[in-house]
Amino acid sequence: MASASDQHLLTYFTTMDNQGGIIVRDAPKFDLDLYISNYQGRTRFERLMLIGQCSVPLCVDALKAAIAEAKSGKDIERYRDAWECIRIAAPNEPEAVFDQAWVTATDKANKAETHRLETELKGYKNNLVKESIRIGHRDLGEHFEAIGDLSAASETYIKMRPDASTQAHIQDVGKHIISILLQKGDWAGVSGNINKVLVNMSNEQQTADHPYQKIVSGIALLGSGKFYEAAKSFLETGDLTIAQQHNSIISLNDIATYGGLLALASMDRLELQSRVLDNSSFRTYLELEPHIRKAVTMFVNGRYSSCLEILESYRADYLLDIYLQKHTSTLFSMIRSKCIIQYFVPFSCVTLDTMSAAFAKPGESFEDELVGMIKSGALNARINTIDRLLVAVSVDPRAAMQKKALDAAKNYEKDALERIRRMSIASAGLEVKGSHKTSTLGGGSLPGVGDIWYEHGRNQPAPGDSMV
C-alpha cells in the first residue's frame, strides 16, 4: 500500500513539475494545523492549496484540509480544484470521492442568494435611499467574493463609491476593492487604491489604519520586486494588536519574516541595526520568529556563514508562502552575495579554500560563483588561480586624487559662473519667475538670460547680456 501511495505522489508531483510548479521536498519547520490557524478568510484555502501543490511531505494533509476548507464555504470552483489535485495524489482517501450532492446543493443555494440580494438591491434603488443602496452593493459584492466570482465582486464594490457619503464609507469601499486585487495579484492596483483609502483621514483613523496601510503596501511592493521599500513598509507596521486584526491577509509571524528577510536582502549593516534590531515596535514581531532575529544579529556581527545556515534551514517554509515563494531564490541570492562581499571587505586577499569553507554549497563550484560576481561588478576583486587567492583590486590613489581635484575645479567654475549670472540679473533689475527653461524672465529687456540661467555647461554669457 505504501508503494502505491508513493507512486501516486510521484505521478502527481511529476505533473506539477511539468506545469512549471515549485516542488519542495524538505519538510517545513511549521506544524500545518498551527500554521493555518493563524489565518482566517479566503487566504486559508490559498495557502493550503499552495502547500498541497508544492510540499511533498505535507501534500495529502494539506489537500484534505483544503477540501474541508472549501466545503465550509460557498466557492464550488475551489472545491473542484482541490478535488482534482487529491484524486491524483491520494485516490484512496475519502476526500478523493467527488461530493456531487454538496456541489448541487451549494450551487442552488448560491443562485438563490444571488437572486435575493439582487432583488433587494433593486428595491433599494427604487426607494432612492443612498445608504441602503450602498449596503446592498456591499452585501452583493461580498456574496460574489464568497462564491469566487471576483470580477463581479470588484464591479459591485466599485458601484458603492457614488453612494459613499462619509470618509468611513470611502475607506470601506477601498478595502473591499483591495481585497479583490490582492487575490488577483494586481500589485499596481493595490498600490493605487491604498492611497485612496488614506485620503482625508483624521489622526485617530490614521493611527488605527496605519498597520493595514503598511501591510498592504508591503505586500504590493514585495510583489513588484521592490524589496527595500517593502522592507521599510513591514518594519513600520506598528501596533501588534491592530495588525493581528488583518490576519485575513497575513499573520503576525509573516510580518516578522517578511520584514527581516527583505531587510537582510536590501539593507546595509547600519540600517539593519537601527531599523530592525533597535526598532522597539518591530522587536515584538521578531519575538514570534526568533530565527529571523538571530539571522540578522549574525549578519550584523559578521558571522555570515551562520546567518546563511539559519536561513537555509527555513528555505522550505519560505517556498510554501504565497507571497514569498516567487522571490525566495532572488532574496537568498542577494543575501548570499552581501555576505560574501562583506566577508571579503576587510582583507586585501583571501585564500579560495578559506572562502569555500565558509560559503561553498555542497556539490557546487564556489569559484564559478565568484567569477560571476566579479563579472557582474558586485565584487571588486580578481582570482589568482596559481596561488588560489582572491585578491582585492585596489584603486590607484594618484588617479583617484587627480579625479577628485578635477571634480573640485569643475564645481568651483560652475559655482562662480552661477554667481556672476545672478549678479548680472540683479543689476539689470530683473526677477526670476518660475523654474521652466522656456519661461520669460521679467520684461525681457535682457535677451538670452533665461537660456544662460539654465545652460549650466556654457562658460560664457550669451551675446547681448550685460555682465558685471
Side-chain angles (χ1 to χ4, degrees):
M1 183 63 68
S3 60
S5 300
D6 293 342
Q7 185 62 40
H8 292 316
L9 285 175
L10 179 61
T11 303
Y12 173 72
F13 281 107
T14 301
T15 304
M16 289 296 168
D17 190 38
N18 293 336
Q19 294 175 355
I22 296 176
I23 310 302
V24 182
R25 293 172 175 79
D26 298 329
K29 293 187 178 293
F30 61 75
D31 177 82
L32 182 62
D33 293 333
L34 292 176
Y35 169 77
I36 206 63
S37 66
N38 291 326
Y39 305 94
Q40 65 177 6
R42 291 175 62 82
T43 191
R44 286 170 57 92
F45 178 86
E46 294 174 358
R47 293 175 183 274
L48 287 170
M49 275 298 289
L50 181 72
I51 296 171
Q53 292 172 341
C54 300
S55 176
V56 176
L58 296 180
C59 169
V60 177
D61 291 338
L63 289 176
K64 291 168 69 174
I67 285 184
E69 184 67 27
K71 293 180 73 173
S72 68
K74 305 176 183 178
D75 195 337
I76 296 174
E77 287 304 314
R78 286 192 161 189
Y79 171 73
R80 292 183 187 276
D81 293 340
W83 174 78
E84 286 288 348
C85 292
I86 200 171
R87 75 180 182 88
I88 301 173
N92 297 323
E93 294 291 337
E95 289 81 3
V97 179
F98 189 73
D99 193 345
Q100 184 61 50
W102 178 86
V103 171
T104 303
T106 304
D107 184 51
K108 182 178 179 181
N110 289 344
K111 290 179 180 178
E113 182 67 7
T114 302
H115 178 72
R116 184 186 70 81
L117 291 172
E118 288 177 342
T119 303
E120 285 185 357
L121 181 57
K122 288 180 182 178
Y124 297 148
K125 289 181 177 179
N126 291 334
N127 294 332
L128 299 178
V129 181
K130 294 186 66 175
E131 179 62 11
S132 298
I133 296 173
R134 185 189 68 83
I135 294 175
H137 278 127
R138 184 196 64 190
D139 293 342
L140 183 59
E142 290 175 349
H143 170 68
F144 281 138
E145 184 177 0
I147 66 176
D149 193 348
L150 299 183
S151 297
S154 179
E155 293 174 2
T156 307
Y157 288 145
I158 290 173
K159 292 177 182 177
M160 293 169 60
R161 281 177 174 164
D163 302 303
S165 55
T166 67
Q167 186 60 35
H169 293 166
I170 296 173
Q171 294 170 24
D172 185 54
V173 174
K175 289 181 178 180
H176 277 93
I177 294 174
I178 287 172
S179 173
I180 301 296
L181 294 173
L182 283 174
Q183 294 178 61
K184 289 183 175 181
D186 185 354
W187 312 125
V190 172
S191 299
N193 278 274
I194 190 61
N195 295 325
K196 297 178 183 178
V197 174
L198 302 175
V199 174
N200 299 326
M201 292 176 60
S202 64
N203 292 333
E204 293 183 1
Q205 289 174 324
Q206 287 181 356
T207 302
D209 279 345
H210 178 79
Y212 174 81
Q213 177 217 351
K214 293 300 180 181
I215 287 171
V216 173
S217 297
I219 292 175
L221 291 167
L222 169 60
S224 303
K226 299 177 181 178
F227 300 137
Y228 180 74
E229 293 82 357
K232 290 200 299 183
S233 190
F234 286 119
L235 294 174
E236 296 169 359
T237 300
D239 195 336
L240 183 142
T241 55
I242 299 178
Q244 193 171 13
Q245 300 172 8
H246 305 296
N247 60 352
S248 60
I249 304 174
I250 61 176
S251 68
L252 300 179
N253 300 68
D254 293 335
I255 296 173
T257 301
Y258 296 175
L261 197 62
L262 293 170
L264 266 176
S266 59
M267 295 182 179
D268 57 29
R269 180 181 277 103
L270 293 177
E271 281 189 295
L272 286 172
Q273 183 67 51
S274 60
R275 290 182 179 269
V276 182
L277 298 180
D278 294 340
N279 186 339
S280 59
S281 63
F282 193 70
R283 193 178 301 129
T284 56
Y285 293 96
L286 288 178
E287 291 174 358
L288 301 173
E289 294 291 340
H291 77 278
I292 291 291
R293 176 179 52 79
K294 188 175 181 181
V296 175
T297 303
M298 292 293 182
F299 182 90
V300 171
N301 293 336
R303 299 174 62 183
Y304 306 113
S305 57
S306 299
C307 171
L308 294 176
E309 287 175 5
I310 293 171
L311 296 179
E312 194 64 37
S313 66
Y314 282 85
R315 180 189 284 264
D317 295 52
Y318 306 147
L319 287 172
L320 298 178
D321 184 273
I322 58 176
Y323 297 121
L324 273 182
Q325 185 186 73
K326 294 181 180 179
H327 306 285
T328 298
S329 297
T330 303
L331 291 172
F332 271 56
S333 177
M334 292 172 65
I335 296 171
R336 180 176 172 81
S337 296
K338 279 181 61 178
C339 288
I340 293 173
I341 294 169
Q342 291 299 315
Y343 180 91
F344 181 62
V345 163
F347 306 105
S348 59
C349 66
V350 181
T351 63
L352 293 178
D353 295 335
T354 302
M355 295 283 287
S356 297
F359 297 106
K361 297 179 181 179
E364 296 185 16
S365 173
F366 182 65
E367 293 183 28
D368 292 341
E369 184 177 1
L370 288 177
V371 170
M373 293 179 64
I374 293 172
K375 287 183 177 180
S376 66
L379 186 63
N380 190 21
R382 66 175 185 268
I383 298 176
N384 183 339
T385 55
I386 298 176
D387 298 325
R388 292 189 57 77
L389 294 173
L390 182 66
V391 183
V393 176
S394 58
V395 180
D396 185 356
R398 176 178 293 179
M401 182 272 294
Q402 291 175 345
K403 183 178 183 303
K404 190 173 180 180
L406 289 173
D407 291 341
K410 289 180 180 179
N411 290 333
Y412 179 82
E413 182 182 3
K414 179 180 177 181
D415 184 61
L417 180 60
E418 291 302 321
R419 290 174 181 272
I420 293 173
R421 287 172 178 166
R422 188 173 292 273
M423 291 163 54
S424 176
I425 290 173
S427 65
L430 298 177
E431 180 183 356
V432 179
K433 294 182 179 179
S435 59
H436 298 288
K437 181 176 178 178
T438 56
S439 62
T440 303
L441 300 178
S445 62
L446 195 62
V449 73
D451 292 337
I452 298 173
W453 178 259
Y454 290 99
E455 291 176 4
H456 300 299
R458 297 179 58 182
N459 295 324
Q460 294 182 355
D465 286 356
S466 59
M467 303 299 291
V468 179

